[in-house]
Amino acid sequence: MDMKDIRKLKSILDTSNKIVFFTGAGISVPSGIPDFRSQNGIYTNDLKAETIISHSYFLKDPESFYAFYRAKMCFPNAEPNKAHRWIAGLEKDGKCLGVVTQNIDGLHQKAGSIHVDEIHGSIYRNHCMDCHRAYSLMDILKSDDIPRCPACGGIIKPDVVLYEEPLDERVVYRAIDKIMHADTMIIIGTSLMVYPAAGYIQYFNGENIVVINKGKTAIMTGGLVFDDDVIKVVEELNNVCENN
């Protein structure tokens, strides 16, 4: 890791007051949550994963869907890592407009971030498909097979955007608004290959783009890029800040 880049990142943070973070699965890997397409990712180890977490599969075979969902996508004991807490700290200090995340794990909120737009939903919100009553993640996890609404018997569905489903327009609007008004955008833990979410970066009109992602990222040239683990970057940044 080039320390000149770390010092440049510090300079960007020092002079920015409207930072927006755009995060993907890679930021949560240090918390023990697998990503999707890496060597140990969900899709790599289960070729049927993309089929199973689709809307049509959920309707066709909800029992198999939930067996996969509970085992591979729900991590209620995961805790925020240094990167999540770093972002929350910047928001607390008034430097950050908020977070736009592709993640469904709720770790940004656990770390203390308040303004979080979850483009793909959250495992912590669930609803009955018939009567629309709200249910918790524990209601999903404590069920042995298909979780059903005690009030009406309807199937409970996670408020997670499955393949073939549209994104929530209200969340998309808030996310784009943050990006449009940011002076710095910091992209963490995403290859930017999942659309339409990855396309939202085109709305950024600010001065600085920073990418922190281990592996190839589909990003335009001209930004500050760290091809490294986000925890290492945060630790080096903290060391530079402490020594200045």
Side-chain angles (χ1 to χ4, degrees):
M1 188 184 307
D2 193 332
M3 293 308 298
K4 289 183 180 179
D5 288 340
I6 292 292
R7 286 189 285 272
K8 184 175 180 180
L9 174 57
K10 181 182 182 301
S11 176
I12 289 172
L13 295 174
D14 288 344
T15 57
S16 300
N17 294 298
K18 296 180 179 179
I19 304 168
V20 64
F21 287 88
F22 189 100
T23 67
I27 195 172
S28 295
V29 170
S31 294
I33 298 178
D35 62 8
F36 291 89
R37 292 178 172 83
S38 72
Q39 183 178 355
N40 297 314
I42 293 172
Y43 293 165
T44 306
N45 293 295
D46 192 331
L47 298 178
K48 290 179 60 181
E50 289 188 76
T51 299
I52 294 173
I53 55 177
S54 67
H55 179 77
S56 57
Y57 194 94
F58 174 81
L59 296 179
K60 180 180 71 173
D61 190 354
E63 186 171 359
S64 295
F65 168 87
Y66 268 113
F68 178 89
Y69 180 76
R70 291 189 190 94
K72 303 290 187 179
M73 302 186 71
C74 296
F75 296 87
N77 297 322
E79 293 295 330
N81 58 54
K82 289 181 179 180
H84 295 108
R85 293 193 291 270
W86 169 59
I87 293 172
L90 287 170
E91 182 178 339
K92 184 178 180 180
D93 292 342
K95 303 282 286 182
C96 174
L97 294 177
V99 181
V100 177
T101 186
Q102 296 171 291
N103 298 340
I104 60 175
D105 53 41
L107 291 183
H108 283 296
Q109 291 92 329
K110 278 189 177 182
S113 290
I114 297 173
H115 300 101
V116 182
D117 295 315
E118 297 168 305
I119 295 175
H120 295 149
S122 171
I123 61 172
Y124 290 96
R125 296 188 300 271
N126 305 272
H127 70 278
C128 172
M129 296 178 70
D130 292 340
C131 71
H132 307 294
R133 281 178 171 82
Y135 289 95
S136 69
L137 174 60
M138 294 312 298
D139 291 318
I140 299 295
L141 297 180
K142 71 184 182 182
S143 174
D144 293 332
D145 44 32
I146 303 170
R148 291 189 176 274
C149 174
C152 74
I155 295 176
I156 300 173
K157 182 185 181 297
D159 288 346
V160 169
V161 180
L162 306 177
Y163 285 105
E164 305 165 353
E165 292 182 341
L167 303 181
D168 186 322
E169 291 184 359
R170 295 167 298 177
V171 178
V172 170
Y173 177 83
R174 292 197 303 266
I176 291 176
D177 186 65
K178 281 186 178 67
I179 292 170
M180 288 179 64
H181 289 90
D183 54 16
T184 292
M185 180 160 62
I186 301 179
I187 300 165
I188 301 176
T190 174
S191 63
L192 294 177
M193 294 180 182
V194 177
Y195 283 81
Y200 299 156
I201 63 171
Q202 68 181 311
Y203 293 99
F204 177 68
N205 296 308
E207 185 176 352
N208 306 295
I209 288 186
V210 179
V211 177
I212 307 172
N213 186 57
K214 199 169 183 179
K216 186 178 180 181
T217 304
I219 182 67
M220 72 292 290
T221 58
L224 177 60
V225 178
F226 294 88
D227 183 359
D228 214 324
D229 181 88
V230 62
I231 301 300
K232 293 181 181 177
V233 174
V234 171
E235 288 175 345
E236 291 296 341
L237 179 64
N238 288 339
N239 288 337
V240 169
C241 293
E242 289 172 1
N243 293 328
N244 285 350

